[in-house]
Amino acid sequence: MPNLTTPAILLRTHPFSDSSRVLRFYARDLGLVGVMARGVHRGASRGQGGVGTFAEGVAVISFRENRELQTLREFAPARAHLALGADVRRLAGASVAAELVLRHAGQEPHPQLFDSLSKGLERIEQAVPGEVIGEALALGWRIVQELGFGPELTTCTACGSVLEEEEMARFDLEAGGIRGPGCPAAEGSRRVGPVARAQLGTLLTGRVPDGLRGARAHVSLLDDFTTFHMLGGRRLESFRFLEPEADAGAEVPARN
Ligand SMILES: [Zn+2]
């Protein structure tokens, strides 16, 4: 059986028995991959020399086609990303990204997705408190885009006309994009003006726009959008913790 060596990010672990766990990695050269890790004791994933969620490093995997779980030979984390688990908003941002990748990434390599995830987790971890939400939005929308679900922002989803830069639009959630001023919008649909559209466009590239406005509305849109288009109607709990108003204060401590 060949051993494959690949950069990988640990997205989830499940206990399997007293001495083994199932680990789900997003691997740069394999895509999503589940592995059985033997000789890992319960509790070892939290600061006892084990490997925690979101750790990134190099995995050596004994790989066989058409097997549900591969065998992990070795995982050497280069970045433990422990700070992601120590703050609820950082953890929430990382968890949203992980959940979208676990749900929609395939078992084939998508190096740009891996690189976006890697860079985004690093940025969420290192952001100053006031920038955590922006970085979480940038990573979330970037992953939506990389997975092929990106919203339409330049053309009206109802009539196909291209919007003028200064025109007010509304967001048609079901259609997955904007509706121009000439087309009737669904009741209660969000207004997305020129600034919001431009800022959303920047977030989709994985960057935080200068002077991000309406962070709460952006979080709410990402929540509704992913729930409708990517999560089969089930909201991710993590969105509750992406609270922009806490930005002005100190770090929000995570519950253990
Ligand atoms: Zn239209």
Side-chain angles (χ1 to χ4, degrees):
M1 227 180 297
N3 278 347
L4 275 169
T5 301
T6 172
I9 299 169
L10 180 59
L11 296 183
R12 184 171 289 166
T13 76
H14 313 269
F16 184 79
S17 69
D18 278 347
S19 62
S20 60
R21 300 176 74 83
V22 172
L23 312 183
R24 303 218 174 263
F25 283 99
Y26 194 67
R28 196 168 194 279
D29 302 335
L30 290 172
L32 271 184
V33 60
V35 301
M36 182 69 82
R38 295 199 170 77
V40 185
H41 293 285
R42 271 184 190 165
S45 65
R46 290 240 179 252
Q48 296 168 31
V51 178
T53 312
F54 309 120
E56 176 177 344
V58 173
V60 180
I61 294 167
S62 171
F63 189 86
R64 196 196 295 159
E65 291 287 344
N66 304 319
R67 182 166 68 162
E68 198 180 329
L69 287 176
Q70 308 296 341
T71 304
L72 184 67
R73 294 284 173 225
E74 194 185 321
F75 180 59
R79 299 167 177 175
H81 283 157
L82 293 176
L84 286 175
D87 171 77
V88 286
R89 292 178 310 144
R90 291 178 212 271
L91 181 60
S95 299
V96 166
E99 193 66 33
L100 296 176
V101 170
L102 284 164
R103 287 291 198 97
H104 287 285
Q107 295 180 334
E108 67 277 319
H110 185 341
Q112 297 96 314
L113 176 61
F114 179 90
D115 294 345
S116 293
L117 182 62
S118 167
K119 214 178 301 171
L121 291 175
E122 189 76 2
R123 293 178 67 111
I124 291 175
E125 180 169 49
Q126 295 185 352
V128 298
E131 289 171 3
V132 171
I133 298 296
E135 293 296 349
L137 284 166
L139 178 58
W141 278 120
R142 183 65 202 153
I143 284 174
V144 168
Q145 181 82 347
E146 294 274 13
L147 289 170
F149 291 86
E152 173 58 55
L153 297 179
T154 54
T155 307
C156 173
T157 53
C159 70
S161 63
V162 177
L163 258 77
E164 300 291 331
E165 210 172 292
E166 294 308 313
E167 277 181 315
M168 174 58 66
R170 287 188 177 265
F171 199 90
D172 184 330
L173 186 63
E174 288 188 27
I178 53 161
R179 212 165 243 247
C183 288
E187 206 175 313
S189 61
R190 294 176 169 82
R191 289 156 59 90
V192 272
V195 173
R197 278 207 303 285
Q199 295 201 327
L200 183 50
T202 302
L203 290 168
L204 284 163
T205 70
R207 288 178 300 118
V208 182
D210 290 336
L212 176 65
R213 274 203 238 157
R216 179 183 300 279
H218 275 290
V219 169
S220 164
L221 178 60
L222 179 61
D223 183 3
D224 287 350
F225 187 89
T226 54
T227 299
F228 189 88
H229 290 284
M230 300 176 75
L231 300 166
R234 192 183 63 91
R235 268 174 211 287
L236 293 178
E237 278 283 297
S238 298
F239 277 106
R240 287 199 295 125
F241 300 103
L242 289 176
E243 270 290 328
E245 276 187 352
D247 282 9
E251 293 277 275
V252 182
R255 281 176 303 173
N256 285 317

